[in-house]
Amino acid sequence: MSGTMTAPTSTSAGAADVDVRIEDDASPLVRLIGRTLRDSARTGHAVDTLNRSTGTVAIHSHDTPQAATISFGANGIDVSSGVLVEPDAAVTVDLNARFAPTADPSGDAGLAGGVLQALTPPLPGWRDAAQRFWDATRSLPGIPDVLIAVTEGPEGLEQAVLGDGPTQYLIAGAPETLAAVFCGADDLFAVLSSGALGIQGTLSQLSVMTGASWKVRYDV
């Protein structure tokens, strides 16, 4: 059974009015795909693909057994776990590299290319992404009172300070890195492990912030 999730209203010109539906008990991959497609719809990205009325595409993880199917129909898009029917196209992607393909697609190359484009919406500005991240996660148990995001701008260090209180957590990185983590395109712990992100806080705060990252990334 699927639960309907409609792409959020956006002021972006050309935003797609499309329903993206996922299963009630969706897997992390299904949730990740659903959230990413909704981001594309909200920002008016890959509208032609999102508005397709036919076609099925299988999405395979390149390094885990995870798989999902995207089905286009007259009433929107359904994302489901596994690959239960023969798809029109199939792609194998790196889930920790924003759905970057790791092999040539099979089947309908045009459909596969359109889906890969739809799975790579443009990143928001890092300040906007930080604010949306904070709005979505500030009520989580154990979340620090203050989130500080720091980056290097054209005129030197820039920072955004969100919240108020005695406990704080600092995240530093390039503008694109911060934007990708805060909007859910990248996993906080994976980026931290790569060395592209710096943090200042306790281990318990890191655990909470990792959970907050997953909340945004998987839209839970």
Side-chain angles (χ1 to χ4, degrees):
M1 183 176 179
S2 295
T4 300
M5 291 190 176
T6 305
T9 302
S10 171
T11 57
S12 298
D17 182 14
V18 59
D19 284 344
V20 179
R21 297 177 291 268
I22 65 173
E23 300 159 325
D24 291 335
D25 190 20
S27 67
L29 176 57
V30 168
R31 287 189 170 278
L32 178 61
I33 292 172
R35 194 270 306 158
T36 304
L37 293 177
R38 289 193 295 274
D39 282 352
S40 285
R42 177 173 49 81
T43 57
H45 178 72
V47 172
D48 288 346
T49 295
L50 295 176
N51 284 329
R52 288 182 61 102
S53 59
T54 61
T56 57
V57 180
I59 309 294
H60 297 276
S61 166
H62 84 295
D63 61 351
T64 73
Q66 296 180 86
T69 300
I70 301 174
S71 302
F72 296 92
N75 296 317
I77 302 170
D78 289 285
V79 187
S80 55
S81 299
V83 182
L84 304 180
V85 298
E86 184 67 25
D88 298 308
V91 296
T92 301
V93 298
D94 186 342
L95 300 180
N96 282 323
R98 305 176 200 169
F99 293 100
T102 60
D104 291 336
S106 61
D108 186 331
L111 175 58
V115 165
L116 288 172
Q117 181 186 19
L119 290 173
T120 53
L123 294 176
W126 71 271
R127 288 183 182 275
D128 289 342
Q131 184 64 61
R132 292 183 64 184
F133 176 89
W134 184 245
D135 291 343
T137 63
R138 63 190 303 176
S139 62
L140 292 177
I143 203 81
D145 298 313
V146 180
L147 173 64
I148 303 173
V150 179
T151 192
E152 183 77 27
E155 298 181 1
L157 287 179
E158 299 180 12
Q159 70 175 20
V161 180
L162 304 169
D164 181 54
T167 62
Q168 64 182 37
Y169 197 81
L170 184 146
I171 301 178
E176 179 178 334
T177 302
L178 292 179
V181 167
F182 286 138
C183 78
D186 289 344
D187 178 79
L188 184 150
F189 195 78
V191 177
L192 181 63
S193 299
S194 75
L197 203 65
I199 60 170
Q200 186 177 78
T202 66
L203 285 176
S204 61
Q205 286 177 331
L206 173 59
S207 177
V208 173
M209 292 299 293
T210 300
S213 170
W214 291 345
K215 175 178 174 60
V216 173
R217 182 167 169 81
Y218 300 111
D219 195 19
V220 294

